[in-house]
Amino acid sequence: MMIKSTNVSYSKDYIPFTRAELLDKVRLQMSQERFEHVLGVEKVAVELAQQYGASIEAASIAALIHDYAKERDLQEMHDLIISANLDLDLLQYGSEIWHGPVGAILAKKELRVKDEEILNAIRHHTVGSSNMSLLEQVIYVADYIEPGRDFPGVDEARKLAKSDLAKAVSFETARTLQYLILKQRKIYPKAIETYNTWVAKN
């Protein structure tokens, strides 16, 4: 599925590259299929940022970089978790969890991203966080509902995202944990923290 290019001008306040330069760097790190996904996430993230008042430029940058580490060598990711003093509990999980926090490190190191909110959006896009900023919510939801996604519940998630971003976060979090439980998969503790904040009722 080809995603129409998003036209966002970069001020270089967040990153020392134009959007075209960033696209070239991101494209080198992933398959064409993954790159199409990234473009889809950017499209939705920009739309959500416009609707809810987040920075459109920051949303574009975070969306384009969010899967920067997704297809990195597993040993490289493993070693980086250790050398960067990340939560060593990560090592009990796979690259599906690793690529968020590792991606944030690489975004800072290789792409010179200094904005902590963008880094957090990359860091938390897989399992969320108990305290997500507006930008983090935008990327978390955009990754779930981008046009290439096709699974039970995604249309409902898309409708919620258009009316209430926090409800979309809640819906996505609940559905993800339900899926993991159904598949009897290990659940990273921070995903449970996200659930307790965004889904669980007092």
Side-chain angles (χ1 to χ4, degrees):
M1 178 179 189
M2 289 297 294
I3 303 296
K4 187 177 178 183
S5 181
T6 302
N7 187 20
V8 180
S9 296
Y10 286 6
S11 63
K12 298 198 177 181
D13 289 341
Y14 295 107
I15 196 167
F17 307 112
T18 64
R19 180 177 175 275
E21 288 168 341
L22 180 58
L23 282 172
D24 287 342
K25 292 179 182 298
V26 169
R27 186 185 281 111
L28 290 173
Q29 298 299 323
M30 60 190 63
S31 64
Q32 183 61 31
E33 182 179 5
R34 175 66 44 190
F35 186 65
E36 289 293 333
H37 161 72
V38 163
L39 292 179
V41 174
E42 185 200 24
K43 178 181 183 296
V44 176
V46 166
E47 291 169 356
L48 292 176
Q50 288 173 324
Q51 179 176 350
Y52 292 104
S55 164
I56 293 170
E57 181 181 353
S60 169
I61 292 166
L64 291 179
I65 301 174
H66 83 280
D67 271 354
Y68 187 73
K70 181 84 174 190
E71 297 178 2
R72 285 290 177 114
D73 177 76
L74 292 181
Q75 189 62 52
E76 178 189 359
M77 294 171 76
H78 177 281
D79 294 347
L80 194 53
I81 288 169
I82 295 171
S83 65
N85 296 314
L86 297 183
D87 178 9
L88 293 182
D89 282 349
L90 282 166
L91 298 178
Q92 300 178 43
Y93 300 84
S95 62
E96 287 294 323
I97 303 297
W98 295 355
H99 77 274
V102 169
I105 291 170
L106 293 174
K108 191 171 186 176
K109 180 181 177 183
E110 297 180 1
L111 301 176
R112 290 177 275 166
V113 176
K114 295 178 181 177
D115 185 87
E116 200 58 36
E117 193 175 14
I118 291 176
L119 293 172
N120 277 335
I122 297 164
R123 187 176 287 122
H124 298 143
H125 81 270
T126 54
V127 297
S129 166
S130 59
N131 183 28
M132 282 189 277
S133 69
L134 178 58
L135 179 64
E136 289 175 75
Q137 293 175 57
V138 163
I139 301 303
Y140 184 71
V141 171
D143 186 34
Y144 193 76
I145 66 171
E146 62 95 356
R149 298 292 200 197
D150 183 18
F151 52 83
V154 70
D155 287 337
E156 186 175 351
R158 288 175 179 136
K159 288 176 185 175
L160 281 172
K162 289 180 179 179
S163 61
D164 189 320
L165 188 61
K167 285 184 178 178
V169 169
S170 175
F171 179 86
E172 172 186 341
T173 301
R175 281 300 184 100
T176 300
L177 262 69
Q178 287 167 3
Y179 172 83
L180 292 171
I181 291 167
L182 187 65
K183 296 290 185 181
Q184 297 185 328
R185 302 274 292 276
K186 290 177 72 172
I187 299 175
Y188 187 52
K190 289 191 183 300
I192 296 173
E193 290 178 15
T194 304
Y195 175 88
N196 286 340
T197 299
W198 293 90
V199 183
K201 309 299 182 188
N202 293 329

